[in-house]
Amino acid sequence: MRDQAEQLRERLQRRAEGRPTRLITVTSGKGGVGKSNFTLNFALGLVEQGQKVVIFDADLGFANLDVLMGVSPKKNLLHLLEPDTSIWDIVEKGPNGLEFIAGGTGFTQIMQFDDEKLNRLFNQLEFLHGYADTVLFDTGAGISNESMRCILSADEVVLVTTPEPTSITDAYAVIKMIHSKNPQTSIRLIVNRASSVREGKFTADKLTLVAKRFLNLELTTLGFVPDDSYVSKAVKQQKPFFLSYPNSLAAKGIRDLVKTYIANAAEVSPSQETGGLRGFLAKMKQLIR
Ligand SMILES: Nc1ncnc2c1ncn2[C@@H]1O[C@H](COP(=O)(O)OP(=O)(O)OP(=O)(O)O)[C@@H](O)[C@H]1O
Ligand SMILES: [Mg+2]
């Protein structure tokens, strides 16, 4: 096993090389549409492309990224309040060098924190700036207060929907809400569980059209993930489908999506101070206070 000091040195080295860390909030209107599976497998796709990725499990009460990976986190966000605990003690190891932070119930509790606790927490989270290429926030569904704070703090939101009409209308409600409060947010759409390319495209077109017509908003589609029985197989085995079934249609969908995401990276390039992870933390702090 590698020596802890060596690991810390590597981490500090990565930070010293520092580049702005992109922050993406993954959300949906309706629950159960596949956010957590998307987040995890998309993260692994980015890792495959050489990125350092940290996922933050902010889905309160239903935190289950750890279950999808078959890893049980030893620490969560709230441990940051203990003396001598740093961000590196709560970053858990997932497969292939992917790292994640378990939000636990910490996310609801931070609203009640005094300034000292809040500063301690946010100062530690800031250490991820320049360390990770991308931080993905997996939120709960819909318009709960906690999800909203994450969504409204992020400059990049990925919105997951399925082709079901209820999922589409709930997704539109989220788009409308983001647009009314933060019109400059980049919202990109993922259609998950599409039974064909045609259905995926049809779903994306529907949302794109209404967003254009009623909000005058240009919605971008990042891609489609097919409905694939290997996803639920992998969930039962507690292994990400991207790794256990790399040739499945779902894994191929993710791989294509990752390519599109990386090819368009320059479109949404966070500024060092106001965007990405750093901007996110600053905005989130304002929304809490
Ligand atoms: N592409 C897919 N093909 C087939 N089944 C899928 C696909 N994506 C997700 N599922 C199924 O949907 C279930 C729910 O997925 P997941 O937990 O990722 O949703 P979620 O949006 O994170 O839910 P919640 O809103 O509760 O956090 C999975 O356990 C799986 O069975
Ligand atoms: Mg989830």
mmCIF file with all atom_site columns, all heavy atoms in Angstrom, residues 23-28 34-36 38-40 42 135-141 147 150-151 154 156-160 190:
data_model
loop_
_atom_site.group_PDB
_atom_site.id
_atom_site.type_symbol
_atom_site.label_atom_id
_atom_site.label_alt_id
_atom_site.label_comp_id
_atom_site.label_asym_id
_atom_site.label_entity_id
_atom_site.label_seq_id
_atom_site.pdbx_PDB_ins_code
_atom_site.Cartn_x
_atom_site.Cartn_y
_atom_site.Cartn_z
_atom_site.occupancy
_atom_site.B_iso_or_equiv
_atom_site.pdbx_formal_charge
_atom_site.auth_seq_id
_atom_site.auth_comp_id
_atom_site.auth_asym_id
_atom_site.auth_atom_id
_atom_site.pdbx_PDB_model_num
ATOM 1   N N   . LEU A 1 23  ? -17.158 22.602 -12.651 1.00 0.00 ? 23  LEU A N   1
ATOM 2   C CA  . LEU A 1 23  ? -18.138 22.092 -11.696 1.00 0.00 ? 23  LEU A CA  1
ATOM 3   C C   . LEU A 1 23  ? -19.441 21.878 -12.441 1.00 0.00 ? 23  LEU A C   1
ATOM 4   O O   . LEU A 1 23  ? -19.957 22.795 -13.075 1.00 0.00 ? 23  LEU A O   1
ATOM 5   C CB  . LEU A 1 23  ? -18.314 23.127 -10.579 1.00 0.00 ? 23  LEU A CB  1
ATOM 6   C CG  . LEU A 1 23  ? -19.243 22.851 -9.393  1.00 0.00 ? 23  LEU A CG  1
ATOM 7   C CD1 . LEU A 1 23  ? -20.711 22.878 -9.747  1.00 0.00 ? 23  LEU A CD1 1
ATOM 8   C CD2 . LEU A 1 23  ? -18.901 21.540 -8.705  1.00 0.00 ? 23  LEU A CD2 1
ATOM 9   N N   . ILE A 1 24  ? -19.948 20.668 -12.386 1.00 0.00 ? 24  ILE A N   1
ATOM 10  C CA  . ILE A 1 24  ? -21.203 20.373 -13.073 1.00 0.00 ? 24  ILE A CA  1
ATOM 11  C C   . ILE A 1 24  ? -22.207 19.826 -12.071 1.00 0.00 ? 24  ILE A C   1
ATOM 12  O O   . ILE A 1 24  ? -21.919 18.874 -11.338 1.00 0.00 ? 24  ILE A O   1
ATOM 13  C CB  . ILE A 1 24  ? -20.987 19.325 -14.178 1.00 0.00 ? 24  ILE A CB  1
ATOM 14  C CG1 . ILE A 1 24  ? -19.956 19.846 -15.173 1.00 0.00 ? 24  ILE A CG1 1
ATOM 15  C CG2 . ILE A 1 24  ? -22.296 18.994 -14.889 1.00 0.00 ? 24  ILE A CG2 1
ATOM 16  C CD1 . ILE A 1 24  ? -19.555 18.839 -16.208 1.00 0.00 ? 24  ILE A CD1 1
ATOM 17  N N   . THR A 1 25  ? -23.359 20.456 -12.017 1.00 0.00 ? 25  THR A N   1
ATOM 18  C CA  . THR A 1 25  ? -24.436 19.925 -11.191 1.00 0.00 ? 25  THR A CA  1
ATOM 19  C C   . THR A 1 25  ? -25.321 19.053 -12.071 1.00 0.00 ? 25  THR A C   1
ATOM 20  O O   . THR A 1 25  ? -25.786 19.491 -13.115 1.00 0.00 ? 25  THR A O   1
ATOM 21  C CB  . THR A 1 25  ? -25.245 21.085 -10.586 1.00 0.00 ? 25  THR A CB  1
ATOM 22  O OG1 . THR A 1 25  ? -24.426 21.747 -9.634  1.00 0.00 ? 25  THR A OG1 1
ATOM 23  C CG2 . THR A 1 25  ? -26.472 20.577 -9.869  1.00 0.00 ? 25  THR A CG2 1
ATOM 24  N N   . VAL A 1 26  ? -25.520 17.810 -11.642 1.00 0.00 ? 26  VAL A N   1
ATOM 25  C CA  . VAL A 1 26  ? -26.383 16.898 -12.403 1.00 0.00 ? 26  VAL A CA  1
ATOM 26  C C   . VAL A 1 26  ? -27.726 16.829 -11.691 1.00 0.00 ? 26  VAL A C   1
ATOM 27  O O   . VAL A 1 26  ? -27.793 16.534 -10.493 1.00 0.00 ? 26  VAL A O   1
ATOM 28  C CB  . VAL A 1 26  ? -25.768 15.479 -12.493 1.00 0.00 ? 26  VAL A CB  1
ATOM 29  C CG1 . VAL A 1 26  ? -26.681 14.556 -13.293 1.00 0.00 ? 26  VAL A CG1 1
ATOM 30  C CG2 . VAL A 1 26  ? -24.382 15.538 -13.121 1.00 0.00 ? 26  VAL A CG2 1
ATOM 31  N N   . THR A 1 27  ? -28.784 17.131 -12.420 1.00 0.00 ? 27  THR A N   1
ATOM 32  C CA  . THR A 1 27  ? -30.091 17.152 -11.772 1.00 0.00 ? 27  THR A CA  1
ATOM 33  C C   . THR A 1 27  ? -31.179 16.651 -12.720 1.00 0.00 ? 27  THR A C   1
ATOM 34  O O   . THR A 1 27  ? -30.918 16.292 -13.859 1.00 0.00 ? 27  THR A O   1
ATOM 35  C CB  . THR A 1 27  ? -30.395 18.573 -11.227 1.00 0.00 ? 27  THR A CB  1
ATOM 36  O OG1 . THR A 1 27  ? -31.481 18.494 -10.326 1.00 0.00 ? 27  THR A OG1 1
ATOM 37  C CG2 . THR A 1 27  ? -30.723 19.548 -12.340 1.00 0.00 ? 27  THR A CG2 1
ATOM 38  N N   . SER A 1 28  ? -32.404 16.622 -12.216 1.00 0.00 ? 28  SER A N   1
ATOM 39  C CA  . SER A 1 28  ? -33.546 16.212 -13.055 1.00 0.00 ? 28  SER A CA  1
ATOM 40  C C   . SER A 1 28  ? -34.803 16.815 -12.458 1.00 0.00 ? 28  SER A C   1
ATOM 41  O O   . SER A 1 28  ? -34.786 17.299 -11.322 1.00 0.00 ? 28  SER A O   1
ATOM 42  C CB  . SER A 1 28  ? -33.679 14.685 -13.071 1.00 0.00 ? 28  SER A CB  1
ATOM 43  O OG  . SER A 1 28  ? -34.057 14.210 -11.798 1.00 0.00 ? 28  SER A OG  1
ATOM 44  N N   . GLY A 1 34  ? -32.271 8.307  -13.499 1.00 0.00 ? 34  GLY A N   1
ATOM 45  C CA  . GLY A 1 34  ? -30.937 7.786  -13.806 1.00 0.00 ? 34  GLY A CA  1
ATOM 46  C C   . GLY A 1 34  ? -29.795 8.765  -13.580 1.00 0.00 ? 34  GLY A C   1
ATOM 47  O O   . GLY A 1 34  ? -28.703 8.567  -14.108 1.00 0.00 ? 34  GLY A O   1
ATOM 48  N N   . LYS A 1 35  ? -30.033 9.783  -12.752 1.00 0.00 ? 35  LYS A N   1
ATOM 49  C CA  . LYS A 1 35  ? -28.971 10.780 -12.474 1.00 0.00 ? 35  LYS A CA  1
ATOM 50  C C   . LYS A 1 35  ? -27.721 10.146 -11.898 1.00 0.00 ? 35  LYS A C   1
ATOM 51  O O   . LYS A 1 35  ? -26.620 10.414 -12.345 1.00 0.00 ? 35  LYS A O   1
ATOM 52  C CB  . LYS A 1 35  ? -29.434 11.813 -11.427 1.00 0.00 ? 35  LYS A CB  1
ATOM 53  C CG  . LYS A 1 35  ? -30.434 12.810 -11.880 1.00 0.00 ? 35  LYS A CG  1
ATOM 54  C CD  . LYS A 1 35  ? -30.816 13.719 -10.726 1.00 0.00 ? 35  LYS A CD  1
ATOM 55  C CE  . LYS A 1 35  ? -31.491 13.004 -9.584  1.00 0.00 ? 35  LYS A CE  1
ATOM 56  N NZ  . LYS A 1 35  ? -32.772 12.391 -9.879  1.00 0.00 ? 35  LYS A NZ  1
ATOM 57  N N   . SER A 1 36  ? -27.913 9.323  -10.857 1.00 0.00 ? 36  SER A N   1
ATOM 58  C CA  . SER A 1 36  ? -26.735 8.800  -10.161 1.00 0.00 ? 36  SER A CA  1
ATOM 59  C C   . SER A 1 36  ? -25.953 7.850  -11.062 1.00 0.00 ? 36  SER A C   1
ATOM 60  O O   . SER A 1 36  ? -24.720 7.892  -11.100 1.00 0.00 ? 36  SER A O   1
ATOM 61  C CB  . SER A 1 36  ? -27.144 8.078  -8.872  1.00 0.00 ? 36  SER A CB  1
ATOM 62  O OG  . SER A 1 36  ? -27.778 8.999  -8.018  1.00 0.00 ? 36  SER A OG  1
ATOM 63  N N   . PHE A 1 38  ? -25.935 7.967  -14.305 1.00 0.00 ? 38  PHE A N   1
ATOM 64  C CA  . PHE A 1 38  ? -25.284 8.808  -15.317 1.00 0.00 ? 38  PHE A CA  1
ATOM 65  C C   . PHE A 1 38  ? -24.020 9.434  -14.736 1.00 0.00 ? 38  PHE A C   1
ATOM 66  O O   . PHE A 1 38  ? -22.945 9.365  -15.330 1.00 0.00 ? 38  PHE A O   1
ATOM 67  C CB  . PHE A 1 38  ? -26.234 9.900  -15.827 1.00 0.00 ? 38  PHE A CB  1
ATOM 68  C CG  . PHE A 1 38  ? -25.490 10.925 -16.631 1.00 0.00 ? 38  PHE A CG  1
ATOM 69  C CD1 . PHE A 1 38  ? -25.099 10.647 -17.927 1.00 0.00 ? 38  PHE A CD1 1
ATOM 70  C CD2 . PHE A 1 38  ? -25.114 12.145 -16.060 1.00 0.00 ? 38  PHE A CD2 1
ATOM 71  C CE1 . PHE A 1 38  ? -24.353 11.571 -18.664 1.00 0.00 ? 38  PHE A CE1 1
ATOM 72  C CE2 . PHE A 1 38  ? -24.371 13.070 -16.780 1.00 0.00 ? 38  PHE A CE2 1
ATOM 73  C CZ  . PHE A 1 38  ? -23.984 12.779 -18.090 1.00 0.00 ? 38  PHE A CZ  1
ATOM 74  N N   . THR A 1 39  ? -24.154 10.063 -13.562 1.00 0.00 ? 39  THR A N   1
ATOM 75  C CA  . THR A 1 39  ? -23.025 10.782 -12.953 1.00 0.00 ? 39  THR A CA  1
ATOM 76  C C   . THR A 1 39  ? -21.813 9.862  -12.796 1.00 0.00 ? 39  THR A C   1
ATOM 77  O O   . THR A 1 39  ? -20.698 10.201 -13.202 1.00 0.00 ? 39  THR A O   1
ATOM 78  C CB  . THR A 1 39  ? -23.416 11.344 -11.569 1.00 0.00 ? 39  THR A CB  1
ATOM 79  O OG1 . THR A 1 39  ? -24.622 12.085 -11.709 1.00 0.00 ? 39  THR A OG1 1
ATOM 80  C CG2 . THR A 1 39  ? -22.344 12.232 -10.994 1.00 0.00 ? 39  THR A CG2 1
ATOM 81  N N   . LEU A 1 40  ? -22.073 8.689  -12.221 1.00 0.00 ? 40  LEU A N   1
ATOM 82  C CA  . LEU A 1 40  ? -20.986 7.754  -11.947 1.00 0.00 ? 40  LEU A CA  1
ATOM 83  C C   . LEU A 1 40  ? -20.306 7.277  -13.239 1.00 0.00 ? 40  LEU A C   1
ATOM 84  O O   . LEU A 1 40  ? -19.069 7.294  -13.354 1.00 0.00 ? 40  LEU A O   1
ATOM 85  C CB  . LEU A 1 40  ? -21.553 6.560  -11.168 1.00 0.00 ? 40  LEU A CB  1
ATOM 86  C CG  . LEU A 1 40  ? -20.612 5.395  -10.914 1.00 0.00 ? 40  LEU A CG  1
ATOM 87  C CD1 . LEU A 1 40  ? -19.412 5.841  -10.092 1.00 0.00 ? 40  LEU A CD1 1
ATOM 88  C CD2 . LEU A 1 40  ? -21.349 4.267  -10.191 1.00 0.00 ? 40  LEU A CD2 1
ATOM 89  N N   . PHE A 1 42  ? -20.511 8.535  -16.336 1.00 0.00 ? 42  PHE A N   1
ATOM 90  C CA  . PHE A 1 42  ? -19.932 9.660  -17.081 1.00 0.00 ? 42  PHE A CA  1
ATOM 91  C C   . PHE A 1 42  ? -18.582 10.022 -16.463 1.00 0.00 ? 42  PHE A C   1
ATOM 92  O O   . PHE A 1 42  ? -17.603 10.253 -17.174 1.00 0.00 ? 42  PHE A O   1
ATOM 93  C CB  . PHE A 1 42  ? -20.909 10.842 -17.010 1.00 0.00 ? 42  PHE A CB  1
ATOM 94  C CG  . PHE A 1 42  ? -20.448 12.082 -17.716 1.00 0.00 ? 42  PHE A CG  1
ATOM 95  C CD1 . PHE A 1 42  ? -20.328 12.117 -19.096 1.00 0.00 ? 42  PHE A CD1 1
ATOM 96  C CD2 . PHE A 1 42  ? -20.164 13.246 -17.002 1.00 0.00 ? 42  PHE A CD2 1
ATOM 97  C CE1 . PHE A 1 42  ? -19.916 13.280 -19.753 1.00 0.00 ? 42  PHE A CE1 1
ATOM 98  C CE2 . PHE A 1 42  ? -19.765 14.408 -17.645 1.00 0.00 ? 42  PHE A CE2 1
ATOM 99  C CZ  . PHE A 1 42  ? -19.635 14.418 -19.026 1.00 0.00 ? 42  PHE A CZ  1
ATOM 100 N N   . VAL A 1 135 ? -15.463 18.419 -11.094 1.00 0.00 ? 135 VAL A N   1
ATOM 101 C CA  . VAL A 1 135 ? -16.208 17.957 -9.918  1.00 0.00 ? 135 VAL A CA  1
ATOM 102 C C   . VAL A 1 135 ? -17.667 17.838 -10.346 1.00 0.00 ? 135 VAL A C   1
ATOM 103 O O   . VAL A 1 135 ? -18.236 18.755 -10.929 1.00 0.00 ? 135 VAL A O   1
ATOM 104 C CB  . VAL A 1 135 ? -16.083 18.935 -8.727  1.00 0.00 ? 135 VAL A CB  1
ATOM 105 C CG1 . VAL A 1 135 ? -16.990 18.509 -7.578  1.00 0.00 ? 135 VAL A CG1 1
ATOM 106 C CG2 . VAL A 1 135 ? -14.639 19.024 -8.246  1.00 0.00 ? 135 VAL A CG2 1
ATOM 107 N N   . LEU A 1 136 ? -18.244 16.659 -10.114 1.00 0.00 ? 136 LEU A N   1
ATOM 108 C CA  . LEU A 1 136 ? -19.647 16.435 -10.476 1.00 0.00 ? 136 LEU A CA  1
ATOM 109 C C   . LEU A 1 136 ? -20.484 16.385 -9.202  1.00 0.00 ? 136 LEU A C   1
ATOM 110 O O   . LEU A 1 136 ? -20.147 15.656 -8.265  1.00 0.00 ? 136 LEU A O   1
ATOM 111 C CB  . LEU A 1 136 ? -19.794 15.108 -11.223 1.00 0.00 ? 136 LEU A CB  1
ATOM 112 C CG  . LEU A 1 136 ? -19.078 14.982 -12.566 1.00 0.00 ? 136 LEU A CG  1
ATOM 113 C CD1 . LEU A 1 136 ? -19.110 13.529 -13.050 1.00 0.00 ? 136 LEU A CD1 1
ATOM 114 C CD2 . LEU A 1 136 ? -19.742 15.880 -13.593 1.00 0.00 ? 136 LEU A CD2 1
ATOM 115 N N   . PHE A 1 137 ? -21.535 17.164 -9.167  1.00 0.00 ? 137 PHE A N   1
ATOM 116 C CA  . PHE A 1 137 ? -22.448 17.155 -8.028  1.00 0.00 ? 137 PHE A CA  1
ATOM 117 C C   . PHE A 1 137 ? -23.694 16.361 -8.394  1.00 0.00 ? 137 PHE A C   1
ATOM 118 O O   . PHE A 1 137 ? -24.454 16.779 -9.267  1.00 0.00 ? 137 PHE A O   1
ATOM 119 C CB  . PHE A 1 137 ? -22.871 18.604 -7.710  1.00 0.00 ? 137 PHE A CB  1
ATOM 120 C CG  . PHE A 1 137 ? -22.276 19.123 -6.458  1.00 0.00 ? 137 PHE A CG  1
ATOM 121 C CD1 . PHE A 1 137 ? -20.934 19.457 -6.414  1.00 0.00 ? 137 PHE A CD1 1
ATOM 122 C CD2 . PHE A 1 137 ? -23.051 19.302 -5.314  1.00 0.00 ? 137 PHE A CD2 1
ATOM 123 C CE1 . PHE A 1 137 ? -20.369 19.955 -5.258  1.00 0.00 ? 137 PHE A CE1 1
ATOM 124 C CE2 . PHE A 1 137 ? -22.495 19.786 -4.152  1.00 0.00 ? 137 PHE A CE2 1
ATOM 125 C CZ  . PHE A 1 137 ? -21.152 20.117 -4.113  1.00 0.00 ? 137 PHE A CZ  1
ATOM 126 N N   . ASP A 1 138 ? -23.914 15.247 -7.748  1.00 0.00 ? 138 ASP A N   1
ATOM 127 C CA  . ASP A 1 138 ? -25.128 14.466 -8.007  1.00 0.00 ? 138 ASP A CA  1
ATOM 128 C C   . ASP A 1 138 ? -26.186 14.912 -7.000  1.00 0.00 ? 138 ASP A C   1
ATOM 129 O O   . ASP A 1 138 ? -26.070 14.660 -5.809  1.00 0.00 ? 138 ASP A O   1
ATOM 130 C CB  . ASP A 1 138 ? -24.808 12.970 -7.835  1.00 0.00 ? 138 ASP A CB  1
ATOM 131 C CG  . ASP A 1 138 ? -26.035 12.084 -8.061  1.00 0.00 ? 138 ASP A CG  1
ATOM 132 O OD1 . ASP A 1 138 ? -27.009 12.537 -8.711  1.00 0.00 ? 138 ASP A OD1 1
ATOM 133 O OD2 . ASP A 1 138 ? -26.019 10.929 -7.585  1.00 0.00 ? 138 ASP A OD2 1
ATOM 134 N N   . THR A 1 139 ? -27.209 15.609 -7.499  1.00 0.00 ? 139 THR A N   1
ATOM 135 C CA  . THR A 1 139 ? -28.213 16.156 -6.569  1.00 0.00 ? 139 THR A CA  1
ATOM 136 C C   . THR A 1 139 ? -29.457 15.283 -6.552  1.00 0.00 ? 139 THR A C   1
ATOM 137 O O   . THR A 1 139 ? -29.630 14.397 -7.360  1.00 0.00 ? 139 THR A O   1
ATOM 138 C CB  . THR A 1 139 ? -28.677 17.553 -7.018  1.00 0.00 ? 139 THR A CB  1
ATOM 139 O OG1 . THR A 1 139 ? -29.457 17.416 -8.204  1.00 0.00 ? 139 THR A OG1 1
ATOM 140 C CG2 . THR A 1 139 ? -27.515 18.477 -7.273  1.00 0.00 ? 139 THR A CG2 1
ATOM 141 N N   . GLY A 1 140 ? -30.332 15.611 -5.622  1.00 0.00 ? 140 GLY A N   1
ATOM 142 C CA  . GLY A 1 140 ? -31.641 14.972 -5.614  1.00 0.00 ? 140 GLY A CA  1
ATOM 143 C C   . GLY A 1 140 ? -32.470 15.545 -6.750  1.00 0.00 ? 140 GLY A C   1
ATOM 144 O O   . GLY A 1 140 ? -32.075 16.498 -7.410  1.00 0.00 ? 140 GLY A O   1
ATOM 145 N N   . ALA A 1 141 ? -33.641 14.953 -6.956  1.00 0.00 ? 141 ALA A N   1
ATOM 146 C CA  . ALA A 1 141 ? -34.494 15.414 -8.049  1.00 0.00 ? 141 ALA A CA  1
ATOM 147 C C   . ALA A 1 141 ? -35.180 16.720 -7.676  1.00 0.00 ? 141 ALA A C   1
ATOM 148 O O   . ALA A 1 141 ? -35.361 17.021 -6.503  1.00 0.00 ? 141 ALA A O   1
ATOM 149 C CB  . ALA A 1 141 ? -35.545 14.359 -8.357  1.00 0.00 ? 141 ALA A CB  1
ATOM 150 N N   . SER A 1 147 ? -31.302 21.024 -3.575  1.00 0.00 ? 147 SER A N   1
ATOM 151 C CA  . SER A 1 147 ? -30.938 20.869 -4.989  1.00 0.00 ? 147 SER A CA  1
ATOM 152 C C   . SER A 1 147 ? -30.872 22.233 -5.663  1.00 0.00 ? 147 SER A C   1
ATOM 153 O O   . SER A 1 147 ? -29.979 22.502 -6.464  1.00 0.00 ? 147 SER A O   1
ATOM 154 C CB  . SER A 1 147 ? -31.966 20.038 -5.751  1.00 0.00 ? 147 SER A CB  1
ATOM 155 O OG  . SER A 1 147 ? -32.092 18.782 -5.190  1.00 0.00 ? 147 SER A OG  1
ATOM 156 N N   . CYS A 1 150 ? -27.675 24.046 -5.157  1.00 0.00 ? 150 CYS A N   1
ATOM 157 C CA  . CYS A 1 150 ? -26.602 23.508 -6.003  1.00 0.00 ? 150 CYS A CA  1
ATOM 158 C C   . CYS A 1 150 ? -26.783 23.981 -7.439  1.00 0.00 ? 150 CYS A C   1
ATOM 159 O O   . CYS A 1 150 ? -25.823 24.386 -8.099  1.00 0.00 ? 150 CYS A O   1
ATOM 160 C CB  . CYS A 1 150 ? -26.617 21.977 -6.026  1.00 0.00 ? 150 CYS A CB  1
ATOM 161 S SG  . CYS A 1 150 ? -26.238 21.234 -4.473  1.00 0.00 ? 150 CYS A SG  1
ATOM 162 N N   . ILE A 1 151 ? -28.032 23.922 -7.917  1.00 0.00 ? 151 ILE A N   1
ATOM 163 C CA  . ILE A 1 151 ? -28.289 24.278 -9.312  1.00 0.00 ? 151 ILE A CA  1
ATOM 164 C C   . ILE A 1 151 ? -27.987 25.754 -9.552  1.00 0.00 ? 151 ILE A C   1
ATOM 165 O O   . ILE A 1 151 ? -27.374 26.123 -10.549 1.00 0.00 ? 151 ILE A O   1
ATOM 166 C CB  . ILE A 1 151 ? -29.760 23.979 -9.677  1.00 0.00 ? 151 ILE A CB  1
ATOM 167 C CG1 . ILE A 1 151 ? -30.024 22.475 -9.639  1.00 0.00 ? 151 ILE A CG1 1
ATOM 168 C CG2 . ILE A 1 151 ? -30.096 24.528 -11.062 1.00 0.00 ? 151 ILE A CG2 1
ATOM 169 C CD1 . ILE A 1 151 ? -31.478 22.098 -9.736  1.00 0.00 ? 151 ILE A CD1 1
ATOM 170 N N   . ALA A 1 154 ? -24.212 26.713 -9.695  1.00 0.00 ? 154 ALA A N   1
ATOM 171 C CA  . ALA A 1 154 ? -23.364 26.150 -10.745 1.00 0.00 ? 154 ALA A CA  1
ATOM 172 C C   . ALA A 1 154 ? -23.450 26.961 -12.030 1.00 0.00 ? 154 ALA A C   1
ATOM 173 O O   . ALA A 1 154 ? -24.509 27.491 -12.350 1.00 0.00 ? 154 ALA A O   1
ATOM 174 C CB  . ALA A 1 154 ? -23.810 24.723 -11.039 1.00 0.00 ? 154 ALA A CB  1
ATOM 175 N N   . GLU A 1 156 ? -22.602 25.339 -14.788 1.00 0.00 ? 156 GLU A N   1
ATOM 176 C CA  . GLU A 1 156 ? -22.947 24.265 -15.728 1.00 0.00 ? 156 GLU A CA  1
ATOM 177 C C   . GLU A 1 156 ? -23.912 23.282 -15.070 1.00 0.00 ? 156 GLU A C   1
ATOM 178 O O   . GLU A 1 156 ? -23.614 22.736 -14.004 1.00 0.00 ? 156 GLU A O   1
ATOM 179 C CB  . GLU A 1 156 ? -21.709 23.454 -16.094 1.00 0.00 ? 156 GLU A CB  1
ATOM 180 C CG  . GLU A 1 156 ? -20.737 24.168 -16.989 1.00 0.00 ? 156 GLU A CG  1
ATOM 181 C CD  . GLU A 1 156 ? -19.647 23.209 -17.441 1.00 0.00 ? 156 GLU A CD  1
ATOM 182 O OE1 . GLU A 1 156 ? -19.928 22.297 -18.223 1.00 0.00 ? 156 GLU A OE1 1
ATOM 183 O OE2 . GLU A 1 156 ? -18.500 23.375 -16.990 1.00 0.00 ? 156 GLU A OE2 1
ATOM 184 N N   . VAL A 1 157 ? -25.047 23.079 -15.715 1.00 0.00 ? 157 VAL A N   1
ATOM 185 C CA  . VAL A 1 157 ? -26.021 22.114 -15.210 1.00 0.00 ? 157 VAL A CA  1
ATOM 186 C C   . VAL A 1 157 ? -26.278 21.068 -16.290 1.00 0.00 ? 157 VAL A C   1
ATOM 187 O O   . VAL A 1 157 ? -26.468 21.405 -17.452 1.00 0.00 ? 157 VAL A O   1
ATOM 188 C CB  . VAL A 1 157 ? -27.355 22.812 -14.844 1.00 0.00 ? 157 VAL A CB  1
ATOM 189 C CG1 . VAL A 1 157 ? -28.427 21.783 -14.494 1.00 0.00 ? 157 VAL A CG1 1
ATOM 190 C CG2 . VAL A 1 157 ? -27.157 23.784 -13.687 1.00 0.00 ? 157 VAL A CG2 1
ATOM 191 N N   . VAL A 1 158 ? -26.241 19.811 -15.890 1.00 0.00 ? 158 VAL A N   1
ATOM 192 C CA  . VAL A 1 158 ? -26.653 18.752 -16.797 1.00 0.00 ? 158 VAL A CA  1
ATOM 193 C C   . VAL A 1 158 ? -27.995 18.241 -16.297 1.00 0.00 ? 158 VAL A C   1
ATOM 194 O O   . VAL A 1 158 ? -28.139 17.869 -15.133 1.00 0.00 ? 158 VAL A O   1
ATOM 195 C CB  . VAL A 1 158 ? -25.595 17.620 -16.848 1.00 0.00 ? 158 VAL A CB  1
ATOM 196 C CG1 . VAL A 1 158 ? -26.191 16.355 -17.444 1.00 0.00 ? 158 VAL A CG1 1
ATOM 197 C CG2 . VAL A 1 158 ? -24.394 18.062 -17.672 1.00 0.00 ? 158 VAL A CG2 1
ATOM 198 N N   . LEU A 1 159 ? -28.977 18.282 -17.166 1.00 0.00 ? 159 LEU A N   1
ATOM 199 C CA  . LEU A 1 159 ? -30.341 17.929 -16.788 1.00 0.00 ? 159 LEU A CA  1
ATOM 200 C C   . LEU A 1 159 ? -30.694 16.590 -17.431 1.00 0.00 ? 159 LEU A C   1
ATOM 201 O O   . LEU A 1 159 ? -30.641 16.444 -18.646 1.00 0.00 ? 159 LEU A O   1
ATOM 202 C CB  . LEU A 1 159 ? -31.276 19.029 -17.285 1.00 0.00 ? 159 LEU A CB  1
ATOM 203 C CG  . LEU A 1 159 ? -32.742 18.911 -16.941 1.00 0.00 ? 159 LEU A CG  1
ATOM 204 C CD1 . LEU A 1 159 ? -32.970 19.000 -15.439 1.00 0.00 ? 159 LEU A CD1 1
ATOM 205 C CD2 . LEU A 1 159 ? -33.534 20.025 -17.633 1.00 0.00 ? 159 LEU A CD2 1
ATOM 206 N N   . VAL A 1 160 ? -31.027 15.618 -16.593 1.00 0.00 ? 160 VAL A N   1
ATOM 207 C CA  . VAL A 1 160 ? -31.330 14.281 -17.108 1.00 0.00 ? 160 VAL A CA  1
ATOM 208 C C   . VAL A 1 160 ? -32.844 14.100 -17.199 1.00 0.00 ? 160 VAL A C   1
ATOM 209 O O   . VAL A 1 160 ? -33.575 14.416 -16.256 1.00 0.00 ? 160 VAL A O   1
ATOM 210 C CB  . VAL A 1 160 ? -30.735 13.188 -16.180 1.00 0.00 ? 160 VAL A CB  1
ATOM 211 C CG1 . VAL A 1 160 ? -30.985 11.795 -16.760 1.00 0.00 ? 160 VAL A CG1 1
ATOM 212 C CG2 . VAL A 1 160 ? -29.243 13.405 -15.967 1.00 0.00 ? 160 VAL A CG2 1
ATOM 213 N N   . ILE A 1 190 ? -29.530 15.544 -21.147 1.00 0.00 ? 190 ILE A N   1
ATOM 214 C CA  . ILE A 1 190 ? -29.228 14.133 -21.414 1.00 0.00 ? 190 ILE A CA  1
ATOM 215 C C   . ILE A 1 190 ? -30.561 13.410 -21.479 1.00 0.00 ? 190 ILE A C   1
ATOM 216 O O   . ILE A 1 190 ? -31.366 13.543 -20.555 1.00 0.00 ? 190 ILE A O   1
ATOM 217 C CB  . ILE A 1 190 ? -28.472 13.485 -20.229 1.00 0.00 ? 190 ILE A CB  1
ATOM 218 C CG1 . ILE A 1 190 ? -27.183 14.210 -19.900 1.00 0.00 ? 190 ILE A CG1 1
ATOM 219 C CG2 . ILE A 1 190 ? -28.230 12.007 -20.473 1.00 0.00 ? 190 ILE A CG2 1
ATOM 220 C CD1 . ILE A 1 190 ? -26.104 13.983 -20.871 1.00 0.00 ? 190 ILE A CD1 1
#
